[in-house]
Structure formats: C-alpha cells, structure tokens
Amino acid sequence: MTTTEKPRTPLVEMRDISIAFGGIKAVDHVTIDLYPGEVVGLLGHNGAGKSTLIKCLSGAYQADGGDIFIDGKKATITNPRDARHYNIETIYQTLALADNLDAASNLFLGRELVTAAGLVDDVRMEAETRKIMGRLNPNFRKFNVPVSALSGGQRQSVAIARAVYFNARILIMDEPTAALGPHETQMVAELIEELKAQGLGIFLIEHDIHNVMKLCDRASVMKNGQLVGTVNVKDVTDEDILGMIILGKKPGQAA
Amino acid sequence: MTQTTSHPSAASAESGPIGRFLKATEIDTRLVGMVGALVAIWVGFHLYGLIVNGTGVFLTPRNLWNLSVQTASIGIMACGMVLVIITRHIDLSVGSVLGFTAMVMGITQVWILPQWLGLGHPLIWLITGVVGIAVGTAIGAFHGWLVAYRGIPAFIVTLGGLLVWRGAAFLLARGETISPVDAHFALIGGGPYGSIGAIGSWVVGLIVCAAIVWLLVAGRRQRKKFEFPLRPMWAEYTLGIVGCAVMIGAVLLVNAYPWPRGIVSQYAAAQGIEVPEGGLFISHGFAIPVLVLACVGVVMTFIMTRTRFGRYVLAIGGNPDAAELAGIDTRWMTVKIFALMGFLTGLSAIVASARLNSATNSLGQLDELYVIAAAVIGGTSLAGGVGTIYGAIIGALVMQSLKTGMVLIGFDAAMQDIVVGVVLVLAVYVDKLYRSRAK
C-alpha cells in the first residue's frame, strides 16, 4: 500500500488488524506502518475507526485478528503495561488524567519513582516534573494543585510531558491540538518537529487538514473501518486527501 | 522557583490574618472546619447540660474517655470505608460482617479453643484475633472479587452481604449470645484493665511528640534539598507546638480519669495493697481500643500518602479510565481495597465484641450507616477521588459525640436518629458549598 520504497524495517507495522464490537466491524483488515523519524497522520470521519485502531497499539483494546510488529518482531500487546514496555506512549484525546491528582502524580502514574524503601518519592517526582515542564511549557507554575484546576493547554502539556518523559520511541497523539489555542497549537507543532528529529515515530490522529499537510510525512485514511489508502503528503493536495476522507477514493481513481 | 509559585487559587481568596496563617502552615481549611464543628458540638452539649440540667457532664475526663472508646470501633472501619468510597464503591455489609466475624471469634474462643488449650490459655486471644481478621479479610476479598471480576455493582453485592452475613451470624450459634469472652481478649475492648495507665500514656504521648518534631524537621530538610518553597520558621514552630500541646493535653485528660472505687478495691485486694483513707487514685490512661484506632489511622494515612497502592486508590477514584490506561490493574486493586475493608472490619469486630465481653447476633447492626456517615462527614466525596483518613476519624468522633451528647442531655432515641440524619445531610451540603467556592 505504501507509495515509496523504504529499505529499513518499520518501527511499527500493524498488519491486517480487525476488531469488532457486537457485530459492527470497527476496524476491518487494516494494515499501516510507521518508520523512525516519521509522522504518519491517521485521518477519517468520526467513527471511521482511527481511535479504535490506535487503541490496539496502546493496549487499551485487543484486536480480534491481525498482528503487530515492532522493529520487525511480532509483539504481544494485551494491556497498556505491555505497550509501555515497547516504549509506546499515548496522548489520548481525553488526556486520561486523574483530575484529583497534581501534575507530578499524573506524569508518573503507574510508574512512580520510589525511594529505597519502596515508597513513593513525591519530592523527587515533583523535581523531575519541574524539570520537564521547564522544557515543554516554561510558563507552567501550578505544581501542587490538582490538574482539574489547570487550563486546557496546561492539562495538555501534562499529558504530553507524560508521553515524552519516559523516552518514547513510538508516540501516539490523538487530536493533540483539539482543545488548544493558536499559540499552544504552535507549541505542539514545534514539539512534534523536535521529537521527529530525535528519531521517534509518531502516529497523529488529526481532523484539521492544514495540520496534516504541515506536520505529517504520510497520511493513512480510514473510512467505515477500512483503510482507504496511505499517501505521501508531499505528493498530493489537501483536496486529494479530503476526497479520500469524504468519498473513500484514492487519488487518481475516478470519483 | 520562588515562594509564590505553588499555591492553590482557593487560598488566595482568603487574605485575612487567618487566611495567611493557614496558607503559611499549609493546614487544610477543611480540617480546621471539622475540628471547629467538633469543638462547637462538645461545648454546646456541655453548656446545654449546665444550663438546662444544672450539671455539665460532657467536658469531663470520664465522658471524653468513654467517647474515645466508643469511637474506636466505627473509626477503625471508617478508615477502610474512605478507600472504598474514594474508588466510587460503597460497602453496606460492614455491620453484618462485623457481627459474623465476632460470632466466629466468639465460637472460636469460647467453644473450640478451650477444649484444646484449656480455659484462659494465653494464646487463645491471639489465635482468635487472627481467625477473626482472616475471616473478615476473606469476606471482603470475596465481595471485591464479585464487584471487580463479575461486574456486579458494589451496592448490590454488599446489600446482599448485609443480609447474608447477618443471617449467617444467627445460624452459626443458633441465635445464642456467646459470653464471656477470653479474659485477655476482653482487654482489647478497653475498660480499667484494658487501658495502659498513667506512665504508659506518658510514654505514648512523648513518642508521638518526638514523631511530630521529627516529621517537621525531616520534611523541611527534604524540601530544602530540592529547593522547593519552605514554610516560614514561625509556622513550623506553631505546628510543632500545637501538635505537641494537643498530645500532652490528651495524656493529661486520660490520666485525670481514675479507676472506679469498686475496681480499685478489687485490684488492691488481688495485689495485696492497702487502700489508704482517701481512696487510691489509679489513672485509666489511654484505652487499648483507642491505641488500636490511632495505629490504624497512622498506618492507613501512611498507605494513602506514601505508597503506590494509596496513589492508585486516588487515581482510580479520580478517573478510572485514566488509571487503567496508565497500566494500573484496577480490578485487582478493587479486590485489595475490599479485602482491606474486610481486614479492618475484622479488627473492629475484635474491639466491639471485646468491649461488650460477648458476641451477640445483633452486634454491629446499623454500623454500616454510621461508618459511611463518618467517612462522608469527614470529607470523603461519594463522587470519588477525594477523602482523607484523619477526616474519617474526626467524622466518627463527630457522630459519636452527637450520640453520646444526646444521651447525656436526655434526648430519646427517636430524636437522636432525627438529629444524626439531619447532621449528615447538612454536613454534605456544607462540604458541597465549600468545594464549589474553592473552585
């Protein structure tokens, strides 16, 4: 399906993935892949199956059929912990933050830093959080309040910090800019460029076609649970991609 | 990273001297409110007695000592209920489970163990206690399994448990009351012999004072190491002095309550001591059940604030999906939380049946409501994610103070129920107002 030849092994290959909920095929034999240092956009209408597909990779769902390969080796991902072992980090659309906990507790949730006695080391976690937030969002000051007291952008930066802190190799971003203002959107865009330069592979679920054209190297379009096709973004126009999303037709095919 | 970086917006709303004091000492305003309410209840009952009945009996060493003992059983369970409610569940079965485990322990120590070990054997109380806690934990874990792995709502599982375990307690002993319990076992319930005396209480008091100072010093050193904002020194001193003063006051209070004359002469006769002319003043000191409650409170607070388990409890309560996505095994956590609730219910059953010196079929009836009320009055949110152990213990103290106070001033049972019910609803309403203002 890919339009260019790549000699390297893909970082991730999701091959022939299917998943159904009560007879409805949410994802129907979809194959996508991702190379290091690349941003692949996942596009489609609401309900096209993008989030469901990606949740098979992040461990939130288990596929009914198909295989996932990481670095060319078959990977078994049955829960979010497995995904984290493969250095797959996810920024969910809902951000998946525990609103009653502060930024540091959320950042390290499930992977707390502990003292020699095995107790949670809040002070060290706060220090680490101050460090990474100083890099991602220098204006961030609210370290000791529940994240429910933060603005949308601040919450987003906590979720992003969580994904970045643990040396992700594969990053999944589910509409990371949906709730953000223009300035913060620009910050996320710069971050994506920076992470890409570091050699991460990024799956980006995105509705805004301009962001896709700007940020993504390739785009995989889904419709009704099936893959319409994957294109090189620089070889197509935004209208071509819109046509794939709306009509389910690959560019070059008669509409 | 200066002083001003990290304070909740809620604190900035109050900027008077009290607000500044609370901000500097980092004391939870909710804690201040609860303690204030408690003091108001105590003084109110005392004055009511003084004015209407001619004698104020509430604020006496004797009454406050009794109050502390009566609070123990509910308080121990409330510490577990906090975790259950934080994770958006409920446990309606604790009263019945308490009755059932007390009955199991009654049978163990009165009917079974004396046959093997002989009456009054020093191991009986220990084995009995272990059996009771094991049974409580197993029942709790079973409830948790039904909730987590079988998907039955906790309300239903424990409503069923409420009926099942009460019935089972009746069947175990065919409705008989088992009494008296083992003599060592009975000490856990309190009473003159089940207290640690004046010297023991001073030892406990001084250890606690040392611990308060150590916590303040260690906390400050740790924050300094990472260059976090520090409390001003006067705030540190205030906290230390207030903490130690409260502790020493408690020691003086429990030591001011002497053994009753009958017990003193009985004890003197047994020990071969001459009772002098004016009688012998032997202090109660802290009652053992109160120390049990204090230990439970400290351990549970430690678990909630310093362990991963506690962190996950809060995370699950705040956002169950996020907890799951963060790799937390939320179902296994639910089993553990209910098992812990069962463990504490078993412990509470020891205290309750030891205090009563018997296991009766009705032991613990309606306790579930008082335990839930204690947790909720103590600031645990039924919406999940919010709650503290110390809050639940103060909540239990508030509930028990109301009950005791109304008995002392001569309210009848019907009136007591009405007041407790009104206070519960009112407390939650005030809490809701507080929270919406804090946002």
Side-chain angles (χ1 to χ4, degrees), chain B residues 281-306:
Chain B
F281 189 97
I282 304 179
S283 295
H284 274 84
F286 288 114
I288 291 175
V290 176
L291 296 177
V292 172
L293 171 60
C295 290
V296 167
V298 169
V299 170
M300 292 298 290
T301 300
F302 181 81
I303 288 175
M304 284 305 288
T305 55
R306 307 250 30 108

Side-chain angles (χ1 to χ4, degrees), chain B residues 14-345:
Chain B
E14 321 144 84
S15 49
I18 299 171
R20 275 203 305 274
F21 173 78
L22 291 175
K23 194 174 163 181
T25 49
E26 295 174 17
I27 295 176
D28 186 3
T29 45
R30 185 191 307 272
L31 173 67
V32 177
M34 280 191 294
V35 171
L38 192 61
V39 170
I41 289 168
W42 288 7
V43 172
F45 277 123
H46 192 77
L47 289 181
Y48 185 96
L50 208 59
I51 293 161
V52 179
N53 303 342
T55 48
V57 285
F58 199 96
L59 292 175
T60 56
R62 175 180 167 178
N63 183 55
L64 293 178
W65 186 89
N66 278 322
L67 184 64
S68 71
V69 175
Q70 289 158 353
T71 305
S73 173
I74 297 291
I76 292 169
M77 288 191 283
C79 290
M81 191 62 81
V82 170
L83 276 64
V84 173
I85 296 179
I86 283 179
T87 51
R88 308 185 182 190
H89 295 299
I90 195 80
D91 193 337
L92 299 173
S93 71
V94 291
S96 296
V97 174
L98 183 143
F100 179 79
T101 46
M103 196 55 84
V104 169
M105 287 190 288
I107 290 171
T108 309
Q109 64 184 319
V110 176
W111 290 359
I112 299 173
L113 287 178
Q115 291 179 16
W116 299 78
L117 299 170
L119 204 60
H121 192 280
L123 274 180
I124 287 181
W125 74 272
L126 193 62
I127 297 173
T128 303
V130 170
V131 167
I133 287 176
V135 168
T137 308
I139 292 173
F142 177 61
H143 288 168
W145 177 78
L146 288 174
V147 173
Y149 290 95
R150 288 294 164 266
I152 312 170
F155 185 92
I156 298 302
V157 169
T158 59
L159 183 61
L162 171 99
L163 298 167
V164 167
W165 301 112
R166 184 64 65 195
F170 184 92
L171 288 181
L172 270 185
R174 300 174 303 275
E176 288 175 35
T177 292
I178 301 176
S179 184
V181 298
D182 177 72
H184 296 97
F185 187 85
L187 296 182
I188 307 170
Y193 293 122
S195 305
I196 60 171
I199 297 170
S201 301
W202 275 115
V203 171
V204 169
L206 293 178
I207 291 174
V208 171
C209 287
I212 290 172
V213 172
W214 182 81
L215 281 176
L216 287 172
V217 171
R220 191 177 177 85
R221 190 179 302 147
Q222 182 82 333
R223 294 187 74 82
K224 210 176 231 165
K225 198 170 112 193
F226 285 90
E227 297 176 344
F228 289 170
L230 295 171
R231 280 193 286 254
M233 271 324 274
W234 63 263
E236 304 267 16
Y237 279 115
T238 309
L239 282 177
I241 289 167
V242 169
C244 293
V246 167
M247 194 59 224
I248 289 169
V251 173
L252 290 173
L253 180 81
V254 293
N255 283 351
Y257 177 39
W259 284 14
R261 196 163 297 176
I263 303 278
V264 170
S265 47
Q266 188 191 43
Y267 174 80
Q271 300 283 315
I273 310 171
E274 199 74 24
V275 179
E277 193 69 24
L280 202 57
F281 189 97
I282 304 179
S283 295
H284 274 84
F286 288 114
I288 291 175
V290 176
L291 296 177
V292 172
L293 171 60
C295 290
V296 167
V298 169
V299 170
M300 292 298 290
T301 300
F302 181 81
I303 288 175
M304 284 305 288
T305 55
R306 307 250 30 108
T307 68
R308 290 182 152 193
F309 176 83
R311 185 62 45 87
Y312 295 168
V313 168
L314 288 168
I316 292 170
N319 187 343
D321 297 330
E324 184 82 47
L325 291 173
I328 297 168
D329 192 340
T330 53
R331 292 202 277 188
W332 179 230
M333 281 292 298
T334 301
V335 173
K336 286 200 274 191
I337 290 163
F338 274 89
L340 183 57
M341 180 76 247
F343 176 96
L344 292 173
T345 306

Side-chain angles (χ1 to χ4, degrees), chain A residues 81 84 97 100 112 120 122, chain B residues 306 308 312 319 326-327 385:
Chain A
R81 265 160 293 160
R84 287 180 166 190
L97 298 173
N100 55 337
E112 287 74 10
V120 291
D122 279 318
Chain B
R306 307 250 30 108
R308 290 182 152 193
Y312 295 168
N319 187 343

Side-chain angles (χ1 to χ4, degrees), chain B residues 329-374:
Chain B
D329 192 340
T330 53
R331 292 202 277 188
W332 179 230
M333 281 292 298
T334 301
V335 173
K336 286 200 274 191
I337 290 163
F338 274 89
L340 183 57
M341 180 76 247
F343 176 96
L344 292 173
T345 306
L347 190 60
S348 185
I350 296 175
V351 168
S353 62
R355 184 167 131 76
L356 205 60
N357 202 13
S358 59
T360 70
N361 185 49
S362 66
L363 193 65
Q365 213 147 37
L366 291 182
D367 270 9
E368 55 282 341
L369 299 183
Y370 286 107
V371 170
I372 293 168

